[in-house]
Amino acid sequence: MAKVLINDGIHPTGLKKLQDAGFEVSTDKIEQADLMAELPNYDAICVRSATKVRQELIDNCPNLKVVGRGGVGLDNIDVDYARSKNIHVVNTPAASSRSVAELVFAHLFSVSRSLYQANRQMPEDGDNNFKGLKKAYSKGFELEGKTLGVIGFGRIGQQTGRLALGVGMDVVASDPYVETATIDMGRFGEVNIQTSSMDQLLAESDVITLHIPFTGAPVLGKEEFAKMKDGVVLINAARGGTVDEDALLEALDNGKVAAAGLDVFINEPNPRQDLLQHPRVSLSPHIGASTNEAQEKIGIELADQLIDLLK
Ligand code: NAD
């Protein structure tokens, strides 16, 4: 029976599926340096982002049939080389879309009622300045009727659009590779959204959210901020670097951007202090995909693919 090494962890549901399929599964972490000696004993390895599967390691494992990556990126695997050796490389790109979309709305709801600021100030000042804080945070806004601009209308962008429609927002999306997307609203039917130009999105949106990969240069910089509505809200749960952080800080300081919600940063895990300390930024430490449900979906998708390929 096939032997599978789970080197960066897997949700118990995924593990059980593999065991029920009869595979001999090890979840004992093998350090990178020891993989050269140990991995030749396995038919498959599952990793997250920690373990690297490089050409040298692949060359040393002639029996390896599958490399599974729980999550989206494949930067830690020499994918083309592995495939040239007839090794299957699989990942789980859709499993975390819902969780990331929900985090976007967590930031957005938080920003709309200044919850992130109130949560910072109530413990310090809530007992002797309750009325002052009440006044300070009484200028919230509703999401219903506002326009959400979604930059990048792939898996996560469309999930975010779906949530936006659910709370009564209008959705404008921009994506050079997607012309129309059909959003399944469950028992409420389907909604077709045709993508627009970036300029239209920048001009019309009350809230802008990014769902694109980082391709080496920011998609939102000084020029793009200038085209946005005054008082726009910006959410970034895509990748650090997709937004020019200097331009964002300037836009926050001059009021162009009323508030931002950020899950991702340039130079993680050491984001710049002036962004972290900014009073109008709602923060989270790159946790978009980090929910129990997403981890379970990742584990199940990975296990299903391994079972398909190894049986
Ligand atoms: P996806 O490939 O399904 O969609 C990305 C879309 O962006 C594609 O349709 C592509 O055509 C479009 N695109 C690329 N460049 C563009 C541009 N300049 N302008 C407009 N559209 C552009 O990917 P996805 O699964 O939706 O993931 C989107 C991003 O979310 C990725 O960068 C991923 O790394 C990130 N992500 C973040 C977290 C987190 O923890 N915060 C978790 C998972 C994924």
Side-chain angles (χ1 to χ4, degrees):
M1 201 25 101
K3 287 184 74 179
V4 179
L5 174 63
I6 307 287
N7 215 39
D8 298 330
I10 190 168
H11 191 278
T13 312
L15 177 60
K16 185 168 181 312
K17 268 191 157 238
L18 291 170
Q19 289 166 334
D20 288 350
F23 297 148
E24 200 178 308
V25 186
S26 169
T27 54
D28 292 336
K29 169 110 187 154
I30 297 176
E31 291 309 321
Q32 189 73 44
D34 301 326
L35 277 174
M36 286 293 263
E38 297 296 330
L39 192 58
N41 301 321
Y42 291 89
D43 300 281
I45 179 170
C46 288
V47 302
R48 304 292 310 258
S49 53
T51 302
K52 316 272 180 272
V53 185
R54 297 285 175 224
Q55 182 168 340
E56 203 189 4
L57 181 60
I58 293 166
D59 282 337
N60 213 44
C61 302
N63 298 326
L64 196 63
K65 296 173 190 70
V66 187
V67 179
R69 159 72 158 101
V72 185
L74 289 166
D75 325 350
N76 52 325
I77 301 164
D78 283 344
V79 179
D80 291 343
Y81 189 73
R83 288 185 176 147
S84 77
K85 298 280 168 190
N86 292 323
I87 295 170
H88 298 279
V89 181
V90 295
N91 64 349
T92 61
S96 55
S97 302
R98 174 75 193 197
S99 289
V100 180
E102 288 197 13
L103 184 72
V104 169
F105 271 82
H107 277 292
L108 193 42
F109 278 119
S110 175
V111 161
S112 72
R113 307 303 295 270
S114 302
L115 297 185
Y116 66 107
Q117 293 174 322
N119 277 324
R120 287 175 195 170
Q121 291 209 339
M122 289 286 284
E124 279 180 24
D125 225 11
D127 55 350
N128 58 25
N129 187 26
F130 194 94
K131 282 188 175 170
L133 294 181
K134 183 178 164 87
K135 192 165 174 224
Y137 300 132
S138 289
K139 299 182 185 76
F141 62 90
E142 292 184 352
L143 298 184
E144 186 172 38
K146 302 294 189 300
T147 298
L148 178 73
V150 184
I151 301 178
F153 214 37
R155 289 173 290 254
I156 299 173
Q158 290 181 31
Q159 273 293 335
T160 307
R162 184 169 178 260
L163 293 182
L165 294 172
V167 297
M169 298 181 85
D170 296 320
V171 176
V172 183
S174 168
D175 190 314
Y177 302 104
V178 178
E179 218 167 280
T180 312
T182 302
I183 312 285
D184 180 1
M185 301 297 291
R187 65 197 157 94
F188 300 109
E190 290 180 340
V191 177
N192 287 319
I193 296 180
Q194 220 152 5
T195 53
S196 314
S197 69
M198 184 74 151
D199 275 354
Q200 191 180 342
L201 181 149
L202 295 174
E204 290 181 3
S205 302
D206 301 296
V207 178
I208 293 177
T209 181
L210 294 111
H211 300 292
I212 53 176
F214 176 58
T215 50
V219 166
L220 295 183
K222 214 174 156 70
E223 204 180 307
E224 288 72 28
F225 281 110
K227 293 178 182 171
M228 295 177 193
K229 281 188 183 178
D230 291 338
V232 68
V233 171
L234 179 78
I235 311 286
N236 190 4
R239 275 290 178 270
T242 51
V243 176
D244 176 338
E245 292 180 351
D246 286 326
L248 172 60
L249 276 162
E250 194 186 319
L252 281 161
D253 288 337
N254 67 25
K256 173 58 89 174
V257 173
L262 302 178
D263 186 49
V264 293
F265 305 85
I266 294 171
N267 202 34
E268 290 178 25
N270 303 108
R272 55 195 285 179
Q273 273 296 326
D274 46 4
L275 212 46
L276 297 181
Q277 301 298 334
H278 201 284
R280 279 182 289 111
V281 180
S282 170
L283 300 156
S284 56
H286 203 148
I287 54 166
S290 308
T291 63
N292 187 45
E293 287 80 1
Q295 296 312 311
E296 184 168 27
K297 282 183 233 173
I298 286 171
I300 291 171
E301 262 185 52
L302 210 49
D304 284 342
Q305 294 185 81
L306 256 72
I307 292 165
D308 258 9
L309 293 168
L310 289 172
K311 276 214 148 175

